Amino acid sequence: MTKRIVLVGGGHTHLQLVEAFGKRPLAGWTIVLVSPERIVAYSGMAPGVVAGHYRPDDLEIDLERLCAAHDTEFRRARVVGIDRNARRAGLEDGSSIRYDLLSLDVGSVPATAGVAGAAENALPLKPIGHFLGGLDAILGTPKPRIVVVGGGPAGVEVALALRHRLRHAGHGAALSLVAAGPILEDLPAGVRRYFRSLLAQRHVQLIENAPVSAIAADAVHLEDGREIASDLTLLATGAAPPAWLARTGLQLSNGFVAVHPTLQTLTDPDIFAAGDCAEIVGIPRPKAGVFAVRAGPPLAANLRARAERRPLQPWSPQKKYLAVLATGPKHAVAVRGRFFVTGRWVWFWKDRIDRNWVRRFRP
Ligand SMILES: Cc1cc2nc3c(=O)[nH]c(=O)nc-3n(C[C@H](O)[C@H](O)[C@H](O)COP(=O)(O)OP(=O)(O)OC[C@H]3O[C@@H](n4cnc5c(N)ncnc54)[C@H](O)[C@@H]3O)c2cc1C
């Protein structure tokens, strides 16, 4: 019987693994990718769809086609548990899939702990495909009051993109951005100042240091008692771990799967994890696609090494990283460390990088 590497989730990291094992097959091993969606959308370009610069299908990667091109089995299913003794991943339909090596790249979900009504009354930005599917309804409602909850890069980008799109469509929507702390907390103060002034210029009401306590169908309630009327609430809150990870028996760190720098879980050397769903113990990094992308080559190398019984190499994601935030029109801000630059050229540069990324996985 051939041995089997099961890749759970078609996130940024696993896309690269499908490609890597397709280009350099692992003798005696079958690769299986398990994903609840056949089509995944690249999040980095999602604000561009909101702004009207891209069509939703510009972002799409067809996992089944990618797998077929790289001699990988595609299984459309959602993993809901792991039986480590039997070495099987349990699926939502009650069946299970056998693995010899297992890798998790299942992303994160918007944090809503303690926010009553969030699940019922807000549209989360993730899964991206679901969010973009709801866009027509947003843009079709005349003069809505829209509240974006979450002051990280995704929330800020989406608020500015919405303003751009609605203005072009002639909608004078009242748009608010609510952040539990300061906006763009992980970025330098100069970038925060830049975006505060941009949001003010674009008439996006910014409410900082205001944790949300509840989301109703027609309002967002803040912990300090304030209430913001809302016809539509978008949820761009920070990354939280998918709930089912807590039932896997794997050791967690802040709710995410705790891994060594080799990307092996602390609990089981044959189970790996990367991207948003993982946390390398002692090397905390923000939950950003850039780290999920960077994890691709070391994860591929270490899965291969484990399969071939060779020593694994530790990986330390770099501290400084490039963040590029679009500002609504075809204009963006690139940030690295304490430095940032702005301009239309930054948007076109990001556009090229993003399009190349999607094209790479469209065989
Ligand atoms: C609007 C928006 C814009 C963003 N822009 C940027 C940006 O410009 N730069 C940046 O660095 N970061 C950005 N981010 C953050 C970025 O999206 C995440 O950090 C990144 O997607 C994490 O990648 P990942 O590989 O961990 O998981 P994901 O890309 O989220 O992929 C996880 C996959 O796993 C699948 N999955 C989930 N659960 C299961 C399960 N139980 N079984 C099987 N499969 C499962 C999902 O269907 C999904 O396809 C943005 C986020 C949003 C919401």
Side-chain angles (χ1 to χ4, degrees):
M1 190 164 46
T2 59
K3 293 200 163 188
R4 205 184 249 175
I5 296 181
V6 174
L7 306 175
V8 181
H12 295 48
T13 316
H14 280 172
L15 292 174
Q16 301 170 79
L17 266 67
V18 171
E19 185 190 54
F21 288 120
K23 285 188 173 161
R24 198 155 72 84
L26 196 51
W29 287 74
T30 307
I31 314 295
V32 184
L33 177 71
V34 183
S35 165
E37 302 138 353
R38 183 172 67 84
I39 307 280
V40 290
Y42 174 50
S43 57
M45 290 167 80
V49 176
V50 176
H53 306 315
Y54 303 120
R55 292 190 322 263
D57 61 358
D58 289 335
L59 283 61
E60 289 176 0
I61 294 167
D62 182 332
L63 296 178
E64 196 169 4
R65 284 188 65 182
L66 177 72
C67 287
H70 290 293
D71 211 11
T72 293
E73 228 177 85
F74 176 70
R75 180 90 178 256
R76 190 161 174 192
R78 182 181 294 277
V79 170
V80 291
I82 301 170
D83 180 343
R84 290 196 293 116
N85 292 328
R87 298 172 90 83
R88 299 191 81 89
L91 307 178
E92 205 170 25
D93 65 4
S95 65
S96 64
I97 179 165
R98 178 185 61 80
Y99 67 83
D100 295 284
L101 295 177
L102 187 75
S103 176
L104 304 175
D105 174 25
V106 294
S108 55
V109 296
T112 54
V115 180
E120 301 82 7
N121 299 317
L123 177 63
L125 261 47
K126 279 192 148 190
I128 300 286
H130 178 252
F131 165 62
L132 295 178
L135 253 190
D136 286 347
I138 301 172
L139 300 169
T141 318
K143 294 195 193 306
R145 294 163 299 179
I146 302 176
V147 179
V148 179
V149 177
V156 171
E157 278 193 292
V158 165
L160 288 168
L162 261 178
R163 169 57 81 221
H164 178 76
R165 180 71 169 269
L166 291 167
R167 186 172 282 164
H168 265 250
H171 290 325
L175 203 50
S176 306
L177 178 65
V178 180
I183 53 162
L184 305 175
E185 240 177 329
D186 292 328
L187 298 180
V191 177
R192 276 199 292 281
R193 280 196 297 276
Y194 179 87
F195 274 95
R196 281 185 187 123
S197 123
L198 203 59
L199 289 161
Q201 276 170 36
R202 307 262 168 90
H203 304 287
V204 178
Q205 182 195 16
L206 175 61
I207 305 167
E208 294 182 273
N209 304 308
V212 168
S213 58
I215 299 175
D218 58 356
V220 171
H221 297 272
L222 306 183
E223 275 182 10
D224 61 15
R226 280 181 288 172
E227 183 184 314
I228 309 157
S230 177
D231 299 310
L232 179 98
T233 304
L234 301 181
L235 211 56
T237 42
W244 69 275
L245 294 179
R247 299 189 294 269
T248 57
L250 295 173
Q251 192 174 326
L252 305 178
S253 169
N254 298 314
F256 299 95
V257 180
V259 295
H260 293 290
T262 55
L263 300 173
Q264 288 167 299
T265 58
L266 298 195
T267 316
D268 187 331
D270 288 335
I271 303 181
F272 293 66
D276 275 10
C277 71
E279 211 153 280
I280 306 179
V281 173
I283 315 180
R285 291 289 182 270
K287 299 291 178 200
V290 56
F291 294 112
V293 169
R294 302 240 161 186
L299 179 62
N302 278 342
L303 274 169
R304 195 182 288 278
R306 182 79 187 161
E308 292 172 344
R309 298 178 186 277
R310 288 183 288 107
L312 278 62
Q313 299 298 323
W315 172 64
S316 176
Q318 66 204 84
K319 251 196 183 132
K320 281 191 186 160
Y321 65 101
L322 179 72
V324 186
L325 283 80
T327 64
K330 289 184 175 175
H331 175 274
V333 179
V335 189
R336 194 180 153 86
R338 286 186 296 115
F339 301 102
F340 71 101
V341 287
T342 69
R344 277 176 62 77
W345 68 270
V346 181
W347 190 91
F348 284 99
W349 176 50
K350 170 177 162 59
D351 173 61
R352 210 175 63 201
I353 295 171
D354 288 349
R355 282 186 192 272
N356 282 343
W357 173 261
V358 173
R359 201 172 297 136
R360 175 174 161 193
F361 301 109
R362 281 182 171 181

